[in-house]
């Protein structure tokens, strides 16, 4: 039987009240009838009527009695139902109370008049610490007023009217208030504790902010610029390692004033409020540091009131600008002393260059003509006379013509003008070179001669004198022309010498160029050999590969410079070709396999005469080009004998070269149009180096090619009748690291980075290393050179015009027994090579290859140590 609800109980109570009222009414009627019958007087003259009336009354009494009995039975049944309904209602009420008490949320029920009907203990517990007592019958408005007035809910509710509201209590907990209407117009309000959810959201939000901050710091740390972010209070909030490197600062603590941090460095404090000497706002500036570097500093205001400063190293840009300025100064110095008028017009006929003579003839102040058009500088009539010739030059035609003109001082001269178009490689004309020579004297002489010939019969004697005078003038003009040509030759010679000087300079500074690369190579090699996580190993290997690419590019440029400057000399000697070719085959077999190609090597046991290192460079360039321009197939390395000569040939199955480009490919900076998509394009110097080295060696280089099928490059070398001197073989049976472990090695180099790199690399191999920047520094560390040592590694170029060869001699002179020495240098001269060989030292060129260094050290230390 279903339990009765509150509405069923009310209806039963109403029915019960109605039955009681009817029962009471019937009892009163019945009593009145009985009293009337018992006390009534019957009239004697109508007994039948009285009897009939009594019968009727008896019938009515019986009917009323039956109705009363029925009503009593219904009342009894109703009382029973009412008792059951009350019991069910009480049970349901208790169940309702138990249900709302079992709810984990605070619960309160309001009726249609917005008065409290029910609430659970959790709702009541909110008010335990206050003087407020919550009772049934309190209105919703009063409850909400008490929530705000008592201060239990410390924050205003957050949310919209149609959403759940969220409150924060005094004890730090968070409540979500859900309010729903009932069918009778009442309200049900639930108070849900969401403290854990809010704490979880806070933790996630803090983690997200921390992760974003970490990602932002990593992104900023990987910028090539130095970055410093300052808040509105002038506090340094964010910076990267590049900022510390450029400013020369040690790691700084967070939340320091930016002005205080900048005060510890050489840098200039630049803020959005900074002004120059004229009071104008300064957004960027350039600063030269004490070590010669130049930094560009910029400030960027932030919407929040702070700013960001960026620091960019523009030293290289300044050096390029200074070099260009120096070159321009030399060019202008030469052209200003040439008697001819020289200028350059761009495609828009705007002056970009004029020499001193040009500006003096047209009476313009120095440099004022630059940036002005030909139409603006000269009169309209003058331009109209030149327009046709200018148009022909812009069309690509070299034009030479005579032109009479008068300058602002009314000097009239005859000029021989030459317009030479400046073409790009595409054939587009982007400007005109203007060369103007004064031929007034020659023109006047020609006119005078013409007139003399016309009047020769009449004025022979007179003209003889004039001709003599004119002849003298011609001789003077010829002499003047000879002097001009001599000055031009001298200017050309100076220009060529300047170019050669630059080339020699580049060759000479190869040591300084390779020093930092050598240090970086040593550090990355040491890192690669340590047992670090895989991610670090991959990163270091990528850095190592990038450094190797930079080394190759710089090495190529330095080689070209040395070849042009005549620094490299051939060291011709007989040797077995097999020792060179087998090493190259082993090296490039793996390179070809990495590119999906096959390298076939045909051994050769011939003896040849050449420089083994320069010949190896030629063959390496040929093999590298063959692999670079071959998509699939194979590369073949082999030899052919031709009487007293032998050709070393490199065949490939690549794309081939067109017939009309076979000579062009040996020019500098010429590269193939198509190559492997995953290969770098290089500088286009490989075959140029091959041709220059072959010229030094006296070898001839040949090329044959079939477009779409492949190519063959070969170099001729002379055969040798005498066997080479026997070289001591390296004993490689014993592991190299076993020989190096525990070895006492001294390193002498004036570069601190090289010393640090050497120490890291050699200690990784198990050596005991002492590094020094000078002989005095080394002497202090090793008891004036008397400590035991197994090997001395010295750089050839030291400070104060000292060299490593003399330093090794002085060190060994103070010892009882000489230390084996290894000399490291970027000097490739044969004289130094011969000197090192005669002294019995080992020579190694920069950049040092770690494996080559390890092999050489293992050989020098030997198995007997």
């Amino acid at each position: 039987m279903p339990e009765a609800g509150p509405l069923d109980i009310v209806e039963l109570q109403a029915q019960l009240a109605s039955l009681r009222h009817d029962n009471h009414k019937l009892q009163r009627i019945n009593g009145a009838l009985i009293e009337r019958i018992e006390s009534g007087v019957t009239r004697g003259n109508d007994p039948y009527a009285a009897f009939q009336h009594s019968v009727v009354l008896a019938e009515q009494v019986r009917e009323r009695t039956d109705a009363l009995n029925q009503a009593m039975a219904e009342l009894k049944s109703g009382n029973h139902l009412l008792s059951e309904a009350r019991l069910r209602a009480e049970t349901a009420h208790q169940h309702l109370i138990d249900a709302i008490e079992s709810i984990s949320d605070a619960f309160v029920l309001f009726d249609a008049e917005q008065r409290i009907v029910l609430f659970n203990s959790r709702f009541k517990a909110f008010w335990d610490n206050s003087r407020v007592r919550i009772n049934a019958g309190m209105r919703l408005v009063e409850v909400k007023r008490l929530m705000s007035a008592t201060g239990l809910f410390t924050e205003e509710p957050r949310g919209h009217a149609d959403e759940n509201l969220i409150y924060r209590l005094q004890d730090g907990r968070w409540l979500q208030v859900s309010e729903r209407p009932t069918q009778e117009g009442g309200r049900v309000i639930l108070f849900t504790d969401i403290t854990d959810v809010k704490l979880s959201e806070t933790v996630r939000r803090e983690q997200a902010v921390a992760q974003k901050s970490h990602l932002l710091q990593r992104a900023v740390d990987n910028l090539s610029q130095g970055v410093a972010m300052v808040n509105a209070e002038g506090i340094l909030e964010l910076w990267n390692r590049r900022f510390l490197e450029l400013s020369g600062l040690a790691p700084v603590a967070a939340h320091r004033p930016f002005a205080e941090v900048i005060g510890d460095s050489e840098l200039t404090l630049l803020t959005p409020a900074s002004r120059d000497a004229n009071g104008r706002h300064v957004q960027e500036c350039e600063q030269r540091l004490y070590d010669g570097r130049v930094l560009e500093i910029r400030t960027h205001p932030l919407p929040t009131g702070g700013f960001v400063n960026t620091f960019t190293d523009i030293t290289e840009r300044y050096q390029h600008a200074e070099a260009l300025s120096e070159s321009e100064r030399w060019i202008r110095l030469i052209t200003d002393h040439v008697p001819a008028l020289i200028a350059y017009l761009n495609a828009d006929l705007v002056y970009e260059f004029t020499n001193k003579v040009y500006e003096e003839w047209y009476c313009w102040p120095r440099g004022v003509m630059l940036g002005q058009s030909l139409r603006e500088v000269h009169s309209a009539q003058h331009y109209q006379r030149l327009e046709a010739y200018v148009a022909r030059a812009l069309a690509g035609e070299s034009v030479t013509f005579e032109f009479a003109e008068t300058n602002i001082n009314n000097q009239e001269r005859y000029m021989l003008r030459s317009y030479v178009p400046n073409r790009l490689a595409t054939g587009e004309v982007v400007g005109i070179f203007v060369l103007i020579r004064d031929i007034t004297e020659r023109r006047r002489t020609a006119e005078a001669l013409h007139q003399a010939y016309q009047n020769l019969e009449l004025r022979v004697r007179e003209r003889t004198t004039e001709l003599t005078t004119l002849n003298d003038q011609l001789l003077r003009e010829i002499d003047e022309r000879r002097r001009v040509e001599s000055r031009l030759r001298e200017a050309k010679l100076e220009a060529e010498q300047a170019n050669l000087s630059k080339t020699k300079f580049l060759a000479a500074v190869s040591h300084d160029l390779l020093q930092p690369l050598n240090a970086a190579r040593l550090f990355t090699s040491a890192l690669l050999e340590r047992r670090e996580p895989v991610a670090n190993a991959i990163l270091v290997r990528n850095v190592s590969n990038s450094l190797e690419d930079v080394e190759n590019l710089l090495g190529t440029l330095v080689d070209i410079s040395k070849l042009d400057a005549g620094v490299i000399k051939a060291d011709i000697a007989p040797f077995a070709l097999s020792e060179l070719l087998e090493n190259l085959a082993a090296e490039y077999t793996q390179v070809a396999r990495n590119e999906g190609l096959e390298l076939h090597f045909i051994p050769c046991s011939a003896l040849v005469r050449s420089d083994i290192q320069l010949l190896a460079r030629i063959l390496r360039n040929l093999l590298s080009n063959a692999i670079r321009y071959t998509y699939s197939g194979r590369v073949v390395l082999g030899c052919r004998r031709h009487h007293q000569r032998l050709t070393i040939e490199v065949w490939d199955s690549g794309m081939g070269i067109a017939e009309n480009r076979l000579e062009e490919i040996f020019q500098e900076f010429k590269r193939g149009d198509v190559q492997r998509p995953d290969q770098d394009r290089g500088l286009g110097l490989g075959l140029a180096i091959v041709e220059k080295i072959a010229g030094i060696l006296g070898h001839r280089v040949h090329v044959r090619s079939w477009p779409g099928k492949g190519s063959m490059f070969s170099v001729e070398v002379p055969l040798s009748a005498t066997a080479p001197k026997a070289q001591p073989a390296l004993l490689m049976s014993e592991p190299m690291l076993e020989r190096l472990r525990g070895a006492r090695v001294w390193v002498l180099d004036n570069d601190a980075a090289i010393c640090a790199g050497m120490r890291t690399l050699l200690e990784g191999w198990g050596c005991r290393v002492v590094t020094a920047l000078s002989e005095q520094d080394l002497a202090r560390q090793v008891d004036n050179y008397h400590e035991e040592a197994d090997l001395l590694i010295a750089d050839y170029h030291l400070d104060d015009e000292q060299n490593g060869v003399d330093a090794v001699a002085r060190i060994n002179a103070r010892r009882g027994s000489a230390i084996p020495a290894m000399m490291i240098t970027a000097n490739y001269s044969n004289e130094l090579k011969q000197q090192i060989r005669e002294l019995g030292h080992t020579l190694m060129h920069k950049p040092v290859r770690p494996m080559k260094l390890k092999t050489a050290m293992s050989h020098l230390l030997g198995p007997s140590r």
Side-chain angles (χ1 to χ4, degrees):
M1 180 178 181
E3 296 182 356
L7 295 179
D8 295 337
I9 294 173
V10 173
E11 290 178 358
L12 288 174
Q13 290 177 346
Q15 291 177 2
L16 181 61
S18 177
L19 289 173
R20 286 179 177 175
H21 182 267
D22 291 344
N23 187 29
H24 180 68
K25 185 177 180 181
L26 289 173
Q27 287 180 349
R28 289 177 61 191
I29 293 171
N30 189 31
L33 289 174
I34 295 173
E35 182 181 0
R36 182 177 178 183
I37 291 174
E38 291 179 350
S39 62
V41 178
T42 304
R43 286 182 292 179
N45 56 354
D46 199 1
Y48 179 79
F51 174 76
Q52 186 179 11
H53 182 67
S54 64
V55 171
V56 172
L57 289 175
E59 184 64 23
Q60 291 179 349
V61 169
R62 185 180 62 78
E63 291 177 355
R64 294 295 177 88
T65 301
D66 291 340
L68 180 60
N69 291 332
Q70 184 179 359
M72 290 298 293
E74 291 179 356
L75 179 60
K76 183 177 181 181
S77 176
N79 287 333
H80 179 70
L81 293 175
L82 183 61
S83 298
E84 292 182 351
R86 183 181 293 109
L87 180 61
R88 288 195 300 272
E90 292 176 353
T91 303
H93 184 70
Q94 185 62 40
H95 288 170
L96 177 61
I97 292 174
D98 293 340
I100 64 176
E101 285 295 333
S102 64
I103 297 175
S104 59
D105 304 332
F107 174 92
V108 60
L109 172 67
F110 294 87
D111 59 14
E113 296 180 356
Q114 305 299 308
R115 296 180 181 275
I116 294 179
V117 177
L118 291 172
F119 56 87
N120 62 3
S121 58
R122 288 178 176 78
F123 177 74
K124 185 177 180 182
F126 289 147
W127 315 90
D128 288 345
N129 296 327
S130 67
R131 297 180 181 180
V132 177
R133 293 294 177 263
I134 300 298
N135 300 312
M138 291 183 68
R139 291 187 175 275
L140 174 61
V141 176
E142 180 65 15
V143 172
K144 290 185 176 180
R145 186 188 66 78
L146 291 173
M147 289 168 61
S148 175
T150 57
L152 293 175
F153 299 81
T154 58
E155 290 192 2
E156 291 295 327
R158 286 184 283 179
H160 300 291
D162 56 347
E163 297 179 355
N164 297 332
L165 302 179
I166 297 177
Y167 291 87
R168 182 176 180 178
L169 303 186
Q170 287 181 337
D171 57 3
R173 291 182 298 151
W174 290 86
L175 292 180
Q176 176 178 300
V177 181
S178 304
E179 187 173 342
R180 296 290 184 272
T182 63
Q183 292 181 351
E184 292 78 20
R187 309 291 291 182
V188 175
I189 301 178
L190 289 177
F191 297 79
T192 305
D193 191 334
I194 60 170
T195 304
D196 294 338
V197 176
K198 293 293 289 184
L199 292 177
S200 177
E201 289 180 356
T202 302
V203 170
R204 286 198 303 270
R205 188 179 302 109
E206 291 176 352
Q207 290 176 347
V209 171
Q211 183 178 8
K212 290 180 180 178
S213 177
H214 179 65
L215 292 175
L216 176 60
Q217 185 66 48
R218 287 184 59 187
V220 171
D221 281 340
N222 287 308
L223 293 176
S224 61
Q225 293 179 316
V227 177
M229 186 175 74
V230 182
N231 63 19
E233 288 75 27
I235 303 300
L236 180 63
E237 288 191 344
L238 179 67
W239 66 94
N240 62 358
R241 290 190 298 271
R242 186 61 175 159
F243 165 67
L244 299 179
E245 293 172 0
L246 294 177
S247 59
L249 292 171
V252 298
H255 307 300
R256 286 184 60 192
F258 185 59
E260 179 182 324
V261 174
I262 292 298
D264 295 338
S265 69
E266 302 178 32
L267 303 182
T268 300
L269 178 62
L270 187 63
T271 67
S274 299
R275 298 177 180 270
D276 59 11
N278 297 324
R280 293 173 296 186
H281 283 284
V282 178
Q283 299 295 331
E284 62 180 69
C285 67
E286 295 177 356
Q287 182 179 0
R288 183 181 294 273
L289 304 182
Y290 292 122
D291 58 2
R293 291 180 299 153
V294 180
L295 299 185
E296 180 184 67
I297 307 175
R298 294 187 178 185
T299 181
H300 311 271
L302 295 176
T304 58
F307 61 91
V308 174
N309 273 5
T310 58
F311 304 84
T312 307
D313 191 340
I314 59 172
T315 306
E316 187 175 352
R317 189 197 310 169
Y318 255 72
Q319 291 173 349
H320 289 327
E322 291 175 355
L324 289 175
S325 177
E326 182 67 15
S327 298
E328 182 180 356
R329 188 181 70 82
W330 277 103
I331 292 172
R332 183 165 293 280
L333 179 64
I334 294 170
T335 56
D336 282 349
H337 289 81
V338 174
L341 284 69
I342 301 175
Y344 178 78
L345 299 167
N346 62 21
D348 297 326
L349 301 183
V350 174
Y351 280 101
E352 292 188 354
F353 177 84
T354 55
N355 69 342
K356 182 179 180 181
V357 181
Y358 197 99
E359 294 171 342
E360 289 177 349
W361 166 248
Y362 288 108
C363 301
W364 280 89
R366 189 64 166 165
V368 175
M369 298 181 74
L370 300 182
Q372 299 191 51
S373 67
L374 187 64
R375 299 178 181 86
E376 296 172 347
V377 171
H378 303 290
S379 64
Q381 181 181 5
H382 183 88
Y383 176 74
Q384 289 175 358
R385 295 174 60 195
L386 297 175
E387 188 173 11
Y389 301 105
V390 171
R392 290 168 58 186
L394 290 176
E397 179 184 355
S398 295
V399 183
T400 300
F401 59 97
E402 294 184 3
F403 190 86
E405 57 181 295
T406 304
N407 66 1
I408 195 172
N409 295 327
N410 293 322
Q411 292 179 315
E412 183 177 2
R413 310 292 289 180
Y414 285 96
M415 300 292 187
L416 180 65
R417 286 178 170 264
S418 295
Y419 290 165
V420 180
N422 179 22
R423 291 189 181 88
L424 297 178
T426 59
E428 179 187 359
V429 176
V430 296
I432 304 173
F433 295 100
V434 179
L435 179 63
I436 306 175
R437 288 160 290 178
D438 189 344
I439 59 169
T440 304
E441 299 299 330
R442 188 178 70 181
R443 180 67 178 267
R444 290 176 178 174
T445 300
E447 292 178 353
L449 286 172
H450 179 68
Q451 185 177 3
Y453 281 118
Q454 287 180 344
N455 302 316
L456 183 59
E457 294 179 355
L458 301 176
R459 303 176 58 185
V460 174
R461 295 179 180 178
E462 181 181 353
R463 289 305 180 189
T464 300
T465 304
E466 293 178 359
L467 286 173
T468 302
T469 304
L470 291 174
N471 188 42
D472 292 339
Q473 292 176 354
L474 285 173
L475 289 175
R476 287 194 299 272
E477 182 180 351
I478 292 171
D479 185 64
E480 178 65 21
R481 186 183 299 273
R482 186 180 296 111
R483 287 194 297 272
V484 169
E485 291 176 351
S486 176
R487 287 196 294 270
L488 285 174
R489 282 194 298 271
E490 291 174 359
K492 180 181 178 183
L493 180 60
E494 290 176 358
E496 290 175 349
Q497 290 176 347
N499 184 43
L500 181 60
S501 175
K502 292 179 182 178
T503 304
K504 289 183 177 180
F505 171 77
L506 181 58
V509 301
S510 61
H511 172 268
D512 296 329
L513 287 172
L514 295 174
Q515 282 287 86
L517 287 176
N518 188 30
R521 166 63 65 193
L522 295 173
F523 277 121
T524 54
S525 299
L527 288 174
L528 281 173
E529 295 187 7
R530 290 187 176 180
R531 296 181 179 178
E532 298 290 341
V534 176
N536 290 347
I538 294 174
L539 177 61
V540 174
R541 191 170 300 280
N542 291 337
V543 174
S544 179
N545 293 337
S546 299
L547 285 174
E548 186 173 358
D549 292 340
V550 174
E551 287 175 7
N552 292 335
L553 291 176
L554 280 178
T556 301
L557 290 173
V558 170
D559 286 346
I560 281 290
S561 300
K562 289 180 177 179
L563 290 169
D564 289 340
V567 174
I568 297 179
K569 304 294 182 182
D571 184 13
I572 305 296
F575 64 90
L577 191 59
S578 58
E579 66 179 283
L580 171 60
L581 297 184
E582 288 173 2
N583 289 337
L584 291 176
E587 177 182 352
Y588 281 88
T589 295
Q590 185 60 41
V591 176
R593 186 177 295 116
N594 292 340
E595 302 297 338
L597 306 174
E598 295 180 9
L599 177 66
H600 288 231
F601 168 56
I602 303 172
C604 178
S605 59
L607 299 178
V608 297
R609 285 184 55 79
S610 183
D611 185 317
I612 187 171
Q613 293 183 356
L614 294 181
L615 183 58
R617 184 60 188 272
I618 291 177
L619 295 177
R620 279 193 171 90
N621 284 359
L622 296 180
L623 287 168
S624 298
N625 269 12
I627 293 173
R628 181 190 299 273
Y629 294 98
T630 301
Y631 283 99
S632 60
R634 62 181 183 173
V635 176
V636 179
L637 173 63
C639 303
R640 295 180 190 271
R641 292 177 183 265
H642 301 281
H643 303 292
Q644 296 302 316
R645 305 189 70 82
L646 180 138
T647 59
I648 307 173
E649 300 178 353
V650 177
W651 293 74
D652 64 69
S653 59
M655 59 203 68
I657 308 166
E659 181 71 19
N660 59 352
R661 298 200 60 190
L662 291 179
E663 295 182 1
E664 177 183 312
I665 59 175
F666 289 93
Q667 298 177 9
E668 296 177 356
F669 305 104
K670 293 293 183 180
R671 297 172 291 195
D673 296 331
V674 183
Q675 62 186 56
R676 297 174 58 86
D678 54 347
Q679 290 278 352
D680 66 285
R681 288 187 55 80
L683 293 175
L685 296 175
L687 292 179
I689 291 176
V690 166
E691 188 173 55
K692 291 178 184 293
I693 295 177
I696 293 174
L697 296 175
H699 301 342
R700 288 193 296 176
V701 177
H702 303 280
V703 57
R704 295 167 60 194
S705 185
W706 302 266
K709 296 182 179 180
S711 304
M712 187 278 292
F713 287 83
S714 66
V715 55
E716 283 187 8
V717 294
L719 293 170
S720 175
T722 60
K725 295 181 180 179
Q727 297 292 334
L730 294 179
L731 300 176
M732 300 302 292
S733 58
E734 181 183 353
M736 287 186 289
L737 283 177
E738 290 297 324
R739 301 185 194 173
L740 299 180
R741 190 168 289 111
R744 295 158 296 189
V745 182
W746 296 352
V747 177
L748 178 60
D749 198 302
N750 61 338
D751 192 314
I754 295 292
C755 289
M758 273 292 191
R759 176 185 293 278
T760 305
L761 183 64
L762 298 183
E763 288 181 349
W765 293 344
C767 300
R768 291 181 290 172
V769 185
V770 175
T771 61
L773 299 175
S774 65
E775 293 180 57
Q776 296 76 13
D777 186 16
L778 181 60
R780 286 192 298 271
Q781 299 184 60
V782 296
D783 190 20
N784 200 23
Y785 311 121
H786 294 308
E787 290 187 4
E788 293 297 325
D790 300 311
L791 179 63
L792 172 59
I793 300 176
D795 185 17
Y796 181 73
H797 295 279
L798 300 175
D799 288 338
D800 301 325
E801 299 182 357
Q802 300 294 320
N803 62 71
V805 173
D806 297 338
V808 170
R810 287 190 292 268
I811 290 172
N812 283 332
R814 298 185 186 181
R815 293 177 53 86
S817 59
I819 309 175
M822 177 186 294
M823 201 64 56
I824 298 179
T825 181
N827 188 338
Y828 286 79
S829 68
N830 288 332
E831 292 78 7
L832 179 60
K833 186 187 304 182
Q834 185 65 28
Q835 181 186 8
I836 298 296
R837 184 183 302 167
E838 291 174 355
L839 292 173
H841 303 326
T842 299
L843 179 64
M844 185 165 291
H845 291 103
K846 296 181 181 179
V848 175
R849 301 285 181 174
M851 182 53 68
K852 188 175 180 181
L853 175 63
K854 185 186 297 183
T855 304
M857 288 178 62
S858 176
H859 172 62
L860 287 174
L861 293 171
S864 60
R865 182 179 63 84

